[in-house]
Amino acid sequence: MSDAVPEPVVVQPVVAPLTSAAVVLVATIEPGGESAVREVLPDLAAFARSIGFRVPSAGLACVTGFGSEAWDRLFAGPRPARLHPFQELRGPVHRAPATPGDLLFHVRAERMDVCYEWASQLLGRLGGAVKVVDETHGFRYFDHRDLLGFVDGTENPVGDDARAAAIVGPEDPASEGGSYIVVQKYLHDLAGWNRLSTEEQERVIGRTKFTDMELADDVKPADSHIALNTVTGDDGTERDILRANMPFGSFEQGEFGTYFIGYAADPSVTEQMLRNMFLGSPPGTHDRILDFSTAVTGTLFHAPSADFLDAPPPPPSPAGPTAVPEPQPSEQRSTATPAPVVRDGSLRIGSLQESAPR
């Protein structure tokens, strides 16, 4: 008799289409809040089903992720092989900070009220067990443009290629069907950006502004955003991630920017892109877009499969969580000593106390 065919892993809606609205919540778990977080996990899909049934045209999709330290506080057993704290990058000019984040909730829909309702149901259940340290409401800007005026996400993989780029396969059984997520909030210097001519802006990005065509290799600068975000493997094949970026803005706070959300089956691909941007490739250069776009947050999460959320593993034993593994040599970010991560629950975004030096 042949062995039974295993049931396919049910994944979270990582590869869901881009929508008109999004709410991104990053939260820390308060001391003693672990049980409340664990108890709500099996109900997350029910929240989405209840709201989605009422407004089926909204295309509600919700992804939940966990930071490295939170994983060890919440779950016993094997941990995702490549999950580790986000590593700060200090380049010659710009910095990618590492900021607090135990939980990520990425909520997408065609209507903001639907995103709000899901977040309201979630936070109502969690109560004081968590503290929201970053809340961003994103919106679609015309034909998928960012606030710099360029189309964002043109080279995103689609279909099976998107799944291969974003979803962990059987090579890592402990996290098969999951995805690694890097999130960063970037604030734009729109006044400085708008002083550039269109041609200068195009050389910074590496694409034409109005037609969204990539510049020819002999025209595209080596320090353009497109050039430095192209990562190839040892075999010369280009390695992809799935971006779910959204513009955001607040006239009251005077903050306008892009919320970067990068899903990947292997976080080292996203991390290599960031090293290229901040440390340079070759070292000593940097992505020109960073002269006008400042990273103020940075966190790495793992979004496990939907099956995992429906039936989480037991909590860790009272003896203590599994030790967080050190990054492997291939995952090292910088030879500089990382600055301590803020742990008071505040990202200090409004005052830009976490901003990179100009």
Side-chain angles (χ1 to χ4, degrees), residues 57-348:
S57 62
L60 176 63
C62 317
V63 174
T64 299
F66 304 91
S68 180
E69 294 179 10
W71 190 279
D72 295 324
R73 293 169 61 184
L74 294 170
F75 310 120
R79 70 196 315 275
R82 296 181 181 275
L83 181 60
H84 54 263
F86 183 88
Q87 301 293 306
E88 180 185 76
L89 297 174
R90 288 183 177 270
V93 181
H94 300 289
R95 181 169 69 98
T99 51
D102 293 327
L103 303 170
L104 170 71
F105 303 103
H106 178 203
V107 190
R108 287 174 277 183
E110 292 299 328
R111 291 170 43 170
M112 181 57 75
D113 60 338
V114 173
C115 297
Y116 173 88
E117 177 67 8
W118 191 93
S120 176
Q121 294 291 336
L122 168 75
L123 295 177
R125 279 284 302 276
L126 289 174
V130 303
K131 180 177 182 179
V132 176
V133 295
D134 187 23
E135 175 181 354
T136 302
H137 293 203
F139 54 87
R140 178 182 294 161
Y141 192 55
F142 294 101
D143 49 339
H144 294 286
R145 294 182 183 267
D146 57 29
L147 297 185
L148 301 178
F150 284 76
V151 175
D152 192 4
T154 302
E155 296 298 331
N156 253 353
V158 298
D160 290 342
D161 289 338
R163 184 181 176 90
I167 305 297
V168 179
E171 70 277 0
D172 181 6
S175 56
E176 183 177 1
S179 185
Y180 294 93
I181 316 167
V182 170
V183 299
Q184 292 178 296
K185 176 179 279 189
Y186 285 87
L187 299 183
H188 300 325
D189 172 16
L190 293 181
W193 178 255
N194 289 329
R195 284 194 290 268
L196 299 182
S197 68
T198 297
E199 291 74 17
E200 290 174 309
Q201 292 178 356
E202 291 175 341
R203 286 192 290 272
V204 171
I205 300 298
R207 283 187 175 276
T208 57
K209 188 169 187 177
F210 299 109
T211 60
D212 189 37
M213 301 298 292
E214 186 170 344
L215 299 181
D217 290 341
D218 59 348
V219 176
K220 179 174 53 188
D223 61 355
S224 67
H225 184 62
I226 296 298
L228 290 175
N229 273 263
T230 299
V231 174
T232 56
D234 294 336
D235 60 356
T237 302
E238 187 171 333
R239 305 188 68 188
D240 290 324
I241 66 172
L242 184 66
R243 296 170 176 83
N245 302 352
M246 293 290 278
F248 66 90
S250 169
F251 294 102
E252 178 188 7
Q253 298 178 9
E255 294 181 351
F256 310 92
T258 296
Y259 202 98
F260 168 75
I261 305 178
Y263 288 101
D266 180 353
S268 69
V269 180
T270 314
E271 292 163 341
Q272 183 60 57
M273 292 177 179
L274 296 181
R275 287 197 295 273
N276 290 351
M277 290 176 62
F278 287 87
L279 306 183
S281 179
T285 62
H286 66 266
D287 190 331
R288 281 287 319 282
I289 201 173
L290 297 178
D291 294 338
F292 306 93
S293 190
T294 300
V296 295
T297 71
T299 320
L300 172 65
F301 299 94
H302 180 75
S305 69
D307 295 332
F308 182 102
L309 297 178
D310 290 341
S317 68
T322 305
V324 178
E326 292 294 324
Q328 297 301 309
S330 62
E331 297 171 339
Q332 296 297 328
R333 306 301 182 268
S334 170
T335 56
T337 302
V341 176
V342 180
R343 292 297 180 193
D344 63 358
S346 171
L347 296 179
R348 299 180 172 88

